[in-house]
Amino acid sequence: MDNKRIKNLKKNFKDIYKKNCSYVFEAPGRVNLIGEHTDYNGGFVLPIAIDRSILIAAKPNNENILRLHSLDFNNTITCNLDKIKYDSKNGWANYPLGVAKILQDKGYILKGADLMFEGTIPRGSGLSSSAAIEVVSCIAYEEISKLKIDKKQIPVICQKAENDFIGVKCGIMDQFVITNAKKNSALFLDCRNLKYENITFSDEDVSIVIVDTKLERKLVNSAYNERRQQCEDGVKILKRYIKGIKLLRDVKVADFEKYKSKLPLIVRKRCEHVIYENQRVLDAVRYLKTKNINDFGKLMNESHDSLKNLYEVSCKQLDTLVYSARKVKGVLGSRMTGAGFGGCTVTLVKNESINGLVIKMTEKYISKYNINPNFYISQAENGARKI
Ligand code: ADP
Ligand code: MG
């Protein structure tokens, strides 16, 4: 953890609230290595926490009030604990307020507190700054109000805040990995039953390079809903031929191959992506366990090609970044990550090739789109915690 950030946060807390803070909490952003558009099909994902995070400094205030200050937005929102409701005027503060409200709805009694937020996760880039601010708020309230929240409930509460209070239909992966990630591990999650395993992912010679397209993601919502529908349509048809399936997660590759001709073309393509992508996550986990990082990288490439050609959620900017990365010696794999139509790519690269990679990708992206892409280089980091 960057001590300068904590020092600065504590100093600002003192300047603004005229007292010392009692606690500091941190929650990281995340990136998914493989397993895209599998979550709502009850399938597998393999994300890591990254070394960008949101911090909270906090102190109980013995008032029945939450005072929320953001250093990044430079404003303070004050809310009576008995009157928490969504208000667009509250902007960013709706995230911590939403978590407080869901906790209250579940019967937890919150105490008044002064909180200060600071973050280094780029906002709206698909690295899940929203889930980070939810989770860090949740663990802060837990400590301040001396609640006993089952750790399994934290991601569920935070997802509910984003779904019901903010109004964004996200899955549970982000909140889950941000809560449960371990340093030098990827988190293998079964989205059907939330069983998970922290799989060692540490190779001193390779790094994860995340590149932001800086695109506004306008198409995401409608395309996302359409894809979900197409997956459901696929299950409906396949059910007639394969007994006992409820979600695409239940369909084995061999069964799909046997019956795929029964599906209309578009639905077939969507199902093919999801069913093979689930298998790729299982293979990826196996490769991590056997330290076969080269084949892991190849699966990342296959994942991208499938998202582009079958699921059709990539875009030319993502493809440009991915293809320019793959041309660099030392790159093991590169793919889009997140829902698509913008957001970020994730690339696995030998450390000695990072500089060359950054130069190459920047050159290409500037020459095609006149945009300087942002780079985030990370290892697999810890999940949310009190500092
Ligand atoms: P993403 O989760 O992909 O980063 P979202 O649009 O889901 O993007 O969430 C971004 C929102 O989360 C921001 O608009 C802001 O309201 C809130 N947020 C993120 N980081 C911070 C921060 N450091 N301080 C305050 N609010 C933040
Ligand atoms: Mg988000």
Side-chain angles (χ1 to χ4, degrees), residues 54 70 72-73 92 95 117-119 122-130 133 162 217:
I54 296 181
S70 159
D72 303 297
F73 288 89
W92 68 274
Y95 291 88
F117 296 76
E118 183 268 345
R123 296 187 289 272
S125 294
L127 299 179
S128 221
S129 66
S130 59
I133 194 169
E162 184 140 352
R217 288 179 298 155

Side-chain angles (χ1 to χ4, degrees), residues 87-144:
D87 186 342
S88 60
K89 284 203 296 293
N90 290 338
W92 68 274
N94 281 306
Y95 291 88
L97 289 174
V99 174
K101 184 73 173 83
I102 301 296
L103 283 169
Q104 289 176 333
D105 290 349
K106 289 198 177 278
Y108 293 103
I109 311 283
L110 295 192
K111 295 202 173 110
D114 297 339
L115 291 91
M116 180 171 281
F117 296 76
E118 183 268 345
T120 53
I121 308 169
R123 296 187 289 272
S125 294
L127 299 179
S128 221
S129 66
S130 59
I133 194 169
E134 289 151 14
V135 173
V136 74
S137 301
C138 193
I139 64 170
Y141 298 141
E142 182 181 25
E143 177 81 37
I144 293 162

Side-chain angles (χ1 to χ4, degrees), residues 69-96:
H69 182 89
S70 159
L71 287 180
D72 303 297
F73 288 89
N74 191 25
N75 68 356
T76 309
I77 300 292
T78 301
C79 186
N80 188 301
L81 274 167
D82 298 325
K83 294 180 187 152
I84 300 177
K85 61 174 195 323
Y86 182 88
D87 186 342
S88 60
K89 284 203 296 293
N90 290 338
W92 68 274
N94 281 306
Y95 291 88

